């Protein structure tokens, strides 16, 4: 197989064809090239024959002795025009998958294309130039036909959208990734019993099937068929309808329970903190608190001992023995430890006289005697001259 000529050679050959036709002397021969006017269709992966033939003076389609045809086929895509086959001086050059149906020389110039792809769709032009046995041009013609390569639907994908539970709505979708022309869709239920669907629940263009108010009887195997004029493909999906609550409902209940427990724990913690905050101020002794109301000073017969930190007021009358003998049946008061005056330092005097020491225990009762008598020791808060507690 000879390799294809470059673009420059292709243009030169085409110019040669046109030049020979223009410079040829008048001839009684009249060349007519015949191609179908209608668009040809083929299927991707298959093959197609582009029919083409020429005639001279309406003669039969067979080459005459000494008649030499020069043939070229071109394909024009969106960007450029490319040569796919040429027959010149008895030599055929073509691209892979491209060939002439009949061996040359022949007036039948039909072209065969194998292993078609969608990109092979487009216009194909056939150019022919015929010479007689003396090398004189007998005629030239060029015509174009259109080829459309169709693509059957690729296997579609089926999907289920929604939660299939009783009373809910779901949508079955089906879409083929590749199809020429665009595929149309049909949904059927195969099992447990056959059922076909139509509009409006079925969208034949988008391939969707809407199922509303699901029930257990609607469960089964659903098959989607994608089809066009050259092929069919299908997929299926199994619909199982559940009767229990949906996953979203269960998740919502769990989240709600956790949130409620969190709020309850927060309230308990806040209550405990507030209780502690109320107890702490009650135990504090503030320095600027108002002093309690003081009792009136005792009479001169009372003993007062002040040392700046503790004051003990003891009634001497209470410690004195009663005048006269006790009456029969009368109760004898029991002195308490509070009636015991603590020894205090000597107070300075202004007149310079030596003060007389005060008896630590008025009445002559010792501390051990008070203890034996059942006296109870009592701590009396001291009060400064300013009136505040110390």
């Amino acid at each position: 197989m000879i390799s294809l000529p470059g673009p420059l050679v292709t243009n030169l050959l085409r110019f040669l064809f046109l030049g020979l036709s223009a410079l040829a002397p008048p001839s009684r021969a009249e060349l007519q090239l015949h191609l179908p006017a209608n668009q040809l269709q083929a299927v991707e992966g298959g093959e197609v024959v582009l029919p083409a033939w020429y005639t001279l003076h309406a003669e039969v389609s067979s080459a005459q002795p000494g008649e030499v045809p020069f043939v070229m086929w071109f394909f024009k895509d969106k960007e450029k025009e490319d040569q796919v086959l040429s027959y010149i001086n008895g030599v055929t050059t073509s691209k892979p998958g491209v060939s002439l149906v009949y061996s040359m020389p022949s007036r039948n110039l039909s072209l065969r294309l194998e292993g078609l792809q969608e990109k092979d769709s487009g216009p194909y032009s056939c150019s022919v130039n015929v010479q007689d046995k003396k090398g004189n041009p007998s005629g030239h013609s060029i015509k174009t036909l259109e080829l459309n390569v169709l693509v059957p639907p690729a296997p579609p994908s089926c999907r289920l959208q929604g939660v299939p539970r009783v009373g809910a709505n779901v949508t079955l979708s089906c879409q083929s990734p590749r199809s020429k022309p665009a595929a149309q869709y049909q949904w059927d239920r195969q099992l447990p019993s056959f059922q076909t669907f139509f509009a409006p629940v079925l969208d034949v263009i988008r391939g969707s099937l809407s199922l509303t108010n699901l029930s257990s009887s609607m469960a089964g195997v659903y098959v989607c068929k994608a089809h066009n004029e050259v092929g069919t493909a299908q997929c299926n999906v199994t619909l199982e309808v559940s009767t229990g609550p949906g996953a979203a409902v269960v998740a919502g209940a769990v989240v709600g329970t956790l949130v409620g427990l969190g709020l309850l724990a927060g309230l308990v913690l806040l209550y405990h903190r507030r209780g502690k905050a109320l107890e702490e101020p009650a135990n504090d002794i503030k320095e600027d608190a108002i002093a309690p109301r003081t009792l009136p000073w005792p009479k001169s017969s009372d003993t007062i001992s002040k040392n700046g930190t503790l004051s003990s007021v003891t009634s001497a009358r209470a410690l004195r023995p009663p005048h006269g003998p006790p009456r029969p049946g009368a109760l004898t008061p029991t002195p308490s430890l509070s009636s015991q005056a603590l020894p205090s330092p000597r107070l300075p005097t202004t007149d310079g006289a030596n003060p007389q020491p005060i008896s630590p225990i008025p009445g002559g009762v010792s501390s051990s005697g008070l203890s034996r008598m059942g006296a109870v020791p009592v701590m009396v808060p001291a009060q400064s001259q300013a009136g505040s507690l110390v």
Side-chain angles (χ1 to χ4, degrees):
M1 179 75 66
I2 301 175
S3 61
L4 281 172
L8 180 61
V9 177
T10 301
N11 293 334
L12 289 176
L13 291 174
R14 194 167 188 179
F15 177 77
L16 178 61
F17 271 39
L18 296 176
L20 291 176
S21 300
L23 298 177
S27 175
R28 292 177 298 176
E30 182 180 357
L31 188 148
Q32 293 183 350
L33 182 61
H34 306 276
L35 274 76
N38 298 331
Q39 182 187 69
L40 298 180
Q41 292 186 348
V43 180
E44 186 178 56
E47 66 176 48
V48 66
V49 172
L50 308 182
W53 68 96
Y54 71 90
T55 58
L56 290 172
H57 292 296
E59 296 175 347
V60 295
S61 180
S62 59
Q64 299 297 320
E67 183 178 314
V68 181
F70 294 84
V71 182
M72 298 183 70
W73 279 92
F74 300 92
F75 170 69
K76 185 177 182 180
D77 57 11
K78 296 180 181 180
E79 298 179 356
K80 62 180 180 179
E81 187 177 48
D82 192 15
Q83 176 184 311
V84 296
L85 182 141
S86 65
Y87 175 77
I88 300 175
N89 295 328
V91 178
T92 302
T93 304
S94 65
K95 285 189 171 184
V98 181
S99 62
L100 291 171
V101 177
Y102 298 94
S103 58
M104 301 301 288
S106 172
R107 291 186 175 182
N108 193 321
L109 312 177
S110 298
L111 186 70
R112 177 184 285 111
L113 303 177
E114 299 176 331
L116 290 174
Q117 299 181 6
E118 184 183 2
K119 64 180 182 180
D120 295 329
S121 299
Y124 287 80
S125 300
C126 178
S127 176
V128 57
N129 190 8
V130 179
Q131 295 180 353
D132 59 13
K133 58 183 179 179
K134 296 181 179 181
N136 298 322
S138 300
H140 172 267
S141 181
I142 180 171
K143 285 190 176 182
T144 302
L145 58 80
E146 191 77 19
L147 175 64
N148 185 23
V149 179
L150 305 180
V151 180
S157 59
C158 292
R159 293 183 300 172
L160 171 63
Q161 301 175 352
V163 180
R165 63 174 182 269
V166 173
N169 302 332
V170 297
T171 300
L172 305 181
S173 62
C174 175
Q175 195 68 34
S176 174
R178 189 165 177 263
S179 177
K180 182 183 177 181
Q184 295 188 354
Y185 303 91
Q186 176 63 47
W187 277 97
D188 300 317
R189 187 179 72 171
Q190 302 291 339
L191 297 174
S193 60
F194 181 81
Q195 182 181 4
T196 188
F197 298 93
F198 303 95
V201 296
L202 172 65
D203 190 335
V204 297
I205 304 300
R206 298 182 179 180
S208 61
L209 176 64
S210 300
L211 301 177
T212 60
N213 193 18
L214 288 179
S215 62
S216 301
S217 61
M218 299 173 68
V221 178
Y222 290 76
V223 178
C224 172
K225 294 180 181 179
H227 59 88
N228 62 11
E229 53 190 273
V230 293
T232 302
Q234 68 181 32
C235 63
N236 63 78
V237 61
T238 301
L239 177 63
E240 297 179 355
V241 182
S242 61
T243 57
V249 176
V250 176
V254 172
V255 172
T257 303
L258 294 178
V259 172
L261 292 176
L263 292 176
L264 181 60
L267 292 175
V268 172
L269 181 61
L270 181 61
Y271 175 78
H272 283 290
R273 288 186 177 181
R274 186 174 181 182
K276 290 183 178 179
L278 294 176
E279 291 176 359
E280 289 178 357
N283 297 330
D284 294 341
I285 299 178
K286 299 182 180 180
E287 295 182 358
D288 57 350
I290 300 175
R293 187 176 181 180
T294 60
L295 298 175
W297 292 101
K299 296 181 181 180
S300 59
S301 60
D302 296 334
T303 302
I304 303 174
S305 177
K306 301 179 181 177
N307 57 2
T309 58
L310 178 64
S311 296
S312 176
V313 180
T314 307
S315 175
R317 297 175 182 176
L319 298 178
R320 294 174 184 173
H323 297 282
R327 293 177 297 176
L331 296 176
T332 301
T334 302
S336 63
L337 188 59
S338 61
S339 62
Q340 178 182 353
L342 298 176
S344 60
R346 298 178 183 271
L347 299 176
T349 59
T350 58
D351 55 356
N354 294 326
Q356 296 296 327
I358 301 174
S359 175
I361 305 177
V365 183
S366 64
S367 60
S368 59
L370 293 175
S371 299
R372 288 193 299 270
M373 295 171 64
V376 179
V378 176
M379 294 294 293
V380 178
Q383 184 175 17
S384 66
Q385 294 179 355
S388 62
L389 294 177
V390 179

